[in-house]
Amino acid sequence: MKKASGLFSFVLAITLLITMLAACAVSPAATQPQNQSSQSDAALQPKKDPVVLTVEVFDRGTTGQTPPDNNFWTQWIQKNFGDPNNIKLQFITCPRADETNRLNVWMASGQAPDISITYDRNLVYNYYENGGLAELTEALDTYGQNLKDFLGEEVLKKGQYFGKQYAILARRVHNAKFATYMRKDWLDKLGLPIPQTRDEFYNALVEFKTKNPGNTANVVPFSVTRDIIWICNTLLESFRTDKSERTRFLVKDPFMQIAAPGMKEGFRFLNKMYNEGLMSMEFPLDVDGKMSDAEFMRGEVGAISGNFDFPLRNVPGLMAGLKQTVPDAELVVVDPFKDKDGVTTKQVYDPAGIRIIVPKTSKRVNEAIQYLNWMSNKDVLTFLQCGEEGWGYEMQDGLPIKKLVEGEKVFNSPDNIDYTLIVNGIDLGDTQKNIKLNSLQFKGMEDLYISAYTSAITNAYADPDVSTPPTEAEGKYSNSLREKGYEIYARCLTCKPEEFDSVWEQQYQEFLQTGGQEVLDQRAAAWDAEH
């Protein structure tokens, strides 16, 4: 029995061993279908539905545009950003001319796009103050490092309140604002040098008036509109006596610059020019600038000031119109308005452009920052702003020379700024290259454009600001103060020189009573509290 029992145990052991070996031999084959089945089941499981990210886009109503919410560019953005991130982009159109009203309606009804935009600084602050904005600080730190590097600290700070990020502002590549032009052919004909001082500018206008070098029926030495504070900004700047940041903040915005120290003497100078017939005599009636434009294109104007590139633009086409009237006409940029320190100080645009916000009702803060962060990639920006090399642009001397694009790939806005929200203008990483590239759109006037731009940013400053701007008085009085300004310009420039002091004093007191004093007081309190 012992032998039998031992034999049985041996056979049993051999049987078990064979079974185990067989099991090991078939194990991979046996388990493979199960694994394949598991993988098939996973593949058959539906992916999560993409989240929807709504993005505001301006409808500018330009001739030949494609639908702003569905075109070649929006489809490219969906393919290259949306699809890889499982995000469905939905572009929400807003008429450019009605952007503030439309955004107010959206915000009030809780229907504002996840990414909303506006140029109105006060509007954004009002939304923040009323708890209508999502805080972006954490999302920016987590998903927006490239965006932070691209914008830089100066621009980012302009979207912060008490150290927290509530708005993302676009970086403005070109911030030139004002320049002054004179008829060089008139100067040459009279043997006059290019004016280097305010007095030389004035003397040249007198010569234009008395000697009529253009041989025109009507001579307008200096063409202006009713918007004197804009047209004569650089000239009036030269009379300012207090250029501290605090004072600049108090009188920032055109409707408040009448209160700048020294402005009275600037207007006295303009009063003298008006009474001597050295400027447009009917300027108070020129509400939209068309009278001034017509004077210029008829060849009657000796000097013009304002937007640095305005005479060169295709619309209204001042230089083109002048050339039709006077083929040999030639312009030169002048920079003669020196202040008490001998500096030709000029105001430039804020380095930040459009304001990008995410409403508090949005659930897509992270996705919004991811989208803007993706947009900050150089290759993405180049494609969106210029298209593809070959059909969108050609490289010449290191510059992307853009082609005229029509059809489905047309740009609905200059440089596609409506789809490159984080930047206004093409940035090649070099200021001189940026200026030269921009000049190429002014065929035959490239050098004049470069001269105007260079003059506009020489000795330049941008108005200072505070993180929590006072908006109550501004919102209440800005329109009435602007209209009061037009009245002041008209009355103080057209009165007789001996009446100037009394007229100015009366008008200035009315300006303060119209709300100017409240704006000054609120701004002073805000500045002093922060500094």
Side-chain angles (χ1 to χ4, degrees):
M1 288 296 294
K2 289 182 180 178
K3 288 184 177 179
S5 175
L7 179 63
F8 177 79
S9 297
F10 175 78
V11 172
L12 179 61
I14 293 297
T15 302
L16 290 172
L17 178 63
I18 293 173
T19 302
M20 290 174 64
L21 291 174
C24 290
V26 300
S27 178
T31 57
Q32 186 67 27
Q34 183 178 357
N35 289 343
Q36 289 178 342
S37 174
S38 174
Q39 292 170 358
S40 293
D41 290 343
L44 291 173
Q45 290 177 358
K47 292 182 179 179
K48 290 183 178 179
D49 291 335
V51 299
V52 176
L53 179 67
T54 54
V55 181
E56 181 180 356
V57 61
F58 286 145
D59 184 349
R60 299 178 182 271
T62 55
T63 303
Q65 73 174 27
T66 54
D69 58 340
N70 183 20
N71 54 47
F72 172 82
W73 303 103
T74 62
Q75 292 165 17
W76 187 87
I77 292 171
Q78 177 62 51
K79 179 180 178 181
N80 288 274
F81 169 76
D83 293 350
N85 292 287
N86 201 33
I87 295 174
K88 172 62 178 174
L89 287 134
Q90 183 178 349
F91 290 89
I92 310 298
T93 60
C94 173
R96 174 66 182 90
D98 194 39
E99 58 110 343
T100 299
N101 292 333
R102 183 65 61 89
L103 185 55
N104 275 331
V105 171
W106 282 339
M107 291 290 286
S109 62
Q111 297 179 328
D114 299 311
I115 294 179
S116 294
I117 53 179
T118 180
Y119 283 100
D120 194 321
R121 173 181 64 100
N122 291 338
L123 191 67
V124 172
Y125 182 69
N126 286 339
Y127 292 154
Y128 158 76
E129 202 171 34
N130 292 318
L133 298 184
E135 187 190 331
L136 309 177
T137 311
E138 184 178 346
L140 190 61
D141 289 340
T142 305
Y143 301 104
Q145 189 57 54
N146 290 339
L147 178 63
K148 291 168 68 174
D149 293 342
F150 176 82
L151 294 177
E153 190 64 22
E154 181 183 12
V155 174
L156 283 170
K157 278 187 175 180
K158 291 181 177 293
Q160 295 174 3
Y161 302 117
F162 299 101
K164 301 294 185 180
Q165 199 79 39
Y166 283 92
I168 303 295
L169 275 65
R171 180 158 65 81
R172 193 190 297 273
V173 176
H174 302 283
N175 64 344
K177 200 169 188 177
F178 297 114
T180 302
Y181 295 81
M182 296 188 82
R183 285 283 297 273
K184 186 176 184 300
D185 52 317
W186 285 15
L187 293 171
D188 291 345
K189 189 172 182 179
L190 296 174
L192 297 173
I194 295 175
Q196 301 298 317
T197 66
R198 191 168 60 216
D199 287 342
E200 289 181 5
F201 177 78
Y202 166 80
N203 292 335
L205 298 186
V206 172
E207 292 287 292
F208 291 168
K209 179 67 176 179
T210 57
K211 296 182 179 178
N212 190 7
N215 194 29
T216 61
N218 179 46
V219 183
V220 184
F222 185 36
S223 184
V224 299
T225 72
R226 77 162 180 165
D227 198 0
I228 293 294
I229 210 74
W230 180 269
I231 299 298
C232 299
N233 187 282
T234 308
L235 186 156
L236 291 170
E237 175 74 33
S238 68
F239 285 92
R240 289 201 187 190
T241 56
D242 182 351
K243 299 190 177 186
S244 65
E245 286 206 333
R246 183 181 188 276
T247 298
R248 286 204 184 282
F249 173 71
L250 296 186
V251 300
K252 72 193 296 285
D253 303 314
F255 63 87
M256 287 301 295
Q257 289 179 22
I258 197 75
M263 194 62 70
K264 176 180 178 179
E265 294 310 309
F267 274 84
R268 190 192 301 278
F269 184 80
L270 291 175
N271 172 271
K272 172 182 172 65
M273 289 174 56
Y274 180 86
N275 278 279
E276 294 177 4
L278 301 183
M279 63 170 60
S280 309
M281 301 305 290
E282 296 183 350
F283 77 87
L285 303 178
D286 194 0
V287 176
D288 54 10
K290 290 183 178 179
M291 293 170 63
S292 175
D293 295 346
E295 291 171 347
F296 186 90
M297 289 189 280
R298 288 196 300 265
E300 300 170 352
V301 174
I304 191 170
S305 192
N307 293 83
F308 82 98
D309 62 345
F310 187 70
L312 313 182
R313 297 177 186 175
N314 291 331
V315 179
L318 298 192
M319 195 59 186
L322 174 62
K323 282 287 190 179
Q324 287 185 347
T325 307
V326 187
D328 296 330
E330 186 178 358
L331 293 185
V332 64
V333 176
V334 299
D335 190 15
F337 304 123
K338 296 178 181 178
D339 60 20
K340 59 184 177 62
D341 299 317
V343 180
T344 56
T345 310
K346 288 173 287 292
Q347 186 186 68
V348 293
Y349 285 108
D350 193 294
I354 200 166
R355 287 158 167 76
I356 307 164
I357 57 175
V358 179
K360 191 68 173 286
T361 55
S362 172
K363 299 179 180 179
R364 299 288 171 250
V365 174
N366 293 340
E367 290 83 358
I369 296 300
Q370 284 179 286
Y371 177 54
L372 299 177
N373 192 68
W374 167 81
M375 191 182 294
S376 65
N377 180 283
K378 181 180 178 181
D379 292 336
V380 171
L381 281 179
T382 297
F383 185 83
L384 288 176
Q385 293 184 315
C386 303
E388 190 174 279
E389 187 172 2
W391 60 261
Y393 66 95
E394 297 288 352
M395 292 299 297
Q396 296 180 19
D397 299 325
L399 301 175
I401 309 303
K402 295 178 71 171
K403 294 184 174 182
L404 177 63
V405 178
E406 298 178 322
E408 66 172 358
K409 298 177 182 178
V410 70
F411 294 89
N412 288 346
S413 55
D415 300 328
N416 246 357
I417 58 174
D418 293 336
Y419 302 110
T420 61
L421 299 177
I422 61 172
V423 64
N424 189 334
I426 298 175
D427 186 6
L428 301 177
D430 180 273
T431 300
Q432 295 306 314
K433 282 187 175 182
N434 291 341
I435 297 173
K436 185 175 181 181
L437 178 64
N438 230 34
S439 74
L440 299 179
Q441 61 184 297
F442 303 99
K443 299 299 182 183
M445 297 180 288
E446 294 90 342
D447 290 343
L448 192 58
Y449 174 89
I450 293 173
S451 177
Y453 193 101
T454 303
S455 173
I457 61 173
T458 300
N459 304 319
Y461 76 92
D463 276 328
D465 210 339
V466 293
S467 59
T468 54
T471 60
E472 182 181 353
E474 291 179 15
K476 185 177 180 180
Y477 298 116
S478 60
N479 288 334
S480 56
L481 286 172
R482 187 174 293 107
E483 292 301 317
K484 182 59 183 176
Y486 294 140
E487 181 184 354
I488 292 174
Y489 313 152
R491 291 184 181 275
C492 291
L493 265 64
T494 62
C495 70
K496 295 178 181 179
E498 60 269 22
E499 298 173 350
F500 176 80
D501 284 309
S502 61
V503 173
W504 173 271
E505 184 61 29
Q506 177 186 350
Q507 292 299 312
Y508 187 69
Q509 290 303 316
E510 290 180 7
F511 164 81
L512 295 177
Q513 294 165 9
T514 302
Q517 189 63 61
E518 285 190 47
V519 175
L520 289 171
D521 291 344
Q522 288 189 12
R523 288 183 176 182
W527 180 271
D528 294 341
E530 186 160 307
H531 292 83

